[in-house]
Amino acid sequence: MTAPSFDLTGRLAVVTGASRGIGAAIAEALAASGADIIGVSTAPAPGSAVERAVTAHGRSFSARAVDFADRDAVAALGAELEQLPVDILVNNAGTIERAPAAQHPLELWDRVIDINLSSQFVLTQAVGRGMLSRGHGKVIFTASLLSFQGGINVPGYAAAKSGVAGLVKALANEWAAHGVNVNAIAPGYIATDNTQALRDDPDRSRAILDRIPAGRWGRSDDIAGAAVFLASPASDYVSGVVLPVDGGWLGR
């Protein structure tokens, strides 16, 4: 028996939401394992921190700009990427809007669903066609603890992330037999922009920390190892899984 391979040398990975936080950490980790990176974000900057991190590992980096609330723009990006030999797609771009359900503005609901769910399908459908034609590929979504739970004051986000979990299973059912693995990572409470409001609230922050067996907020690089695993040959028989990386939250 040989050791499982986490080597991504020669692979091309697309990472959305790559400019900061979890996306940047995943992009760097994939590059450290040998992958070249296409980083997608709303407004990528030349010579960005993620570009420097990727190229420091000797891998190539190119940037794409897209507004994930603009379906036509996402479809155009998908059409471009479908023509490239993309081996790994990390659907990480996302947003969150906080307001009680009874007063939640419908425009915020629509925006979150468009960015966190609909655009993910549009892009994956296009890139997935290329993977299916080549007979191999890895698709990784960023799900959430709210793929399992309901959250508070984030109905659109909870609905979208629950939808991501369902989409992962639906795509896995169709694509696994054709060499394309579709899975998701469900980050726990990670110290990123999306959780800034929670961390700034002493009572809410303490309540969260009290429930996490690991006793700390997660870091973006805590997600990186799971992403490398799901992108690598080591996970070739893993399909349709939503993998929590949460410091033990769901086990509490």
Side-chain angles (χ1 to χ4, degrees):
M1 178 179 176
T2 59
S5 174
F6 297 90
D7 184 14
L8 301 177
T9 301
R11 302 288 205 273
L12 176 61
V14 174
V15 181
T16 72
S19 63
R20 64 185 187 274
I22 290 172
I26 289 175
E28 181 175 4
L30 296 179
S33 296
D36 296 314
I37 305 296
I38 297 174
V40 183
S41 57
T42 304
S48 64
V50 65
E51 179 176 355
R52 295 194 303 273
V54 167
T55 56
H57 291 290
R59 311 315 307 174
S60 69
F61 179 89
S62 61
R64 301 291 189 279
V66 70
D67 177 0
F68 282 94
D70 182 340
R71 181 171 296 186
D72 290 339
V74 175
L77 174 65
E80 176 193 351
L81 296 176
E82 186 178 351
Q83 305 308 311
L84 300 178
V86 176
D87 301 291
I88 302 157
L89 171 62
V90 180
N91 285 304
N92 173 71
T95 191
I96 192 166
E97 299 287 356
R98 300 181 187 277
Q103 291 84 37
H104 203 86
L106 294 181
E107 60 269 22
L108 297 186
W109 168 276
D110 290 340
R111 174 176 167 77
V112 170
I113 296 296
D114 285 344
I115 292 173
N116 290 11
L117 182 59
S118 297
S119 71
Q120 315 262 340
F121 177 69
V122 171
L123 187 61
T124 303
Q125 183 184 54
V127 176
R129 281 193 292 259
M131 292 178 172
L132 292 167
S133 70
R134 293 185 295 274
H136 67 87
K138 303 280 189 171
V139 179
I140 305 166
F141 288 83
T142 299
S144 169
L145 291 183
L146 300 195
S147 298
F148 306 97
Q149 302 174 331
I152 298 170
N153 294 333
V154 287
Y157 186 84
K161 292 301 186 177
S162 296
V164 164
L167 180 58
V168 164
K169 296 177 178 68
L171 294 177
N173 287 344
E174 295 189 35
W175 293 0
H178 304 285
V180 179
N181 298 77
V182 184
N183 294 288
I185 299 168
Y189 284 93
I190 309 297
T192 65
D193 293 349
N194 276 358
T195 60
Q196 188 65 56
L198 299 178
R199 288 182 287 123
D200 288 344
D201 181 333
D203 293 335
R204 187 80 173 100
S205 180
R206 175 48 53 193
I208 289 168
L209 284 172
D210 284 346
R211 178 168 167 175
I212 300 173
R216 65 171 176 85
W217 287 81
R219 299 182 297 267
S220 294
D221 57 7
D222 287 321
I223 309 302
V228 171
F229 166 64
L230 292 175
S232 76
S235 66
D236 281 349
Y237 201 57
V238 179
S239 194
V241 165
V242 180
L243 173 63
V245 182
D246 64 356
W249 173 279
L250 289 176
R252 188 65 176 263

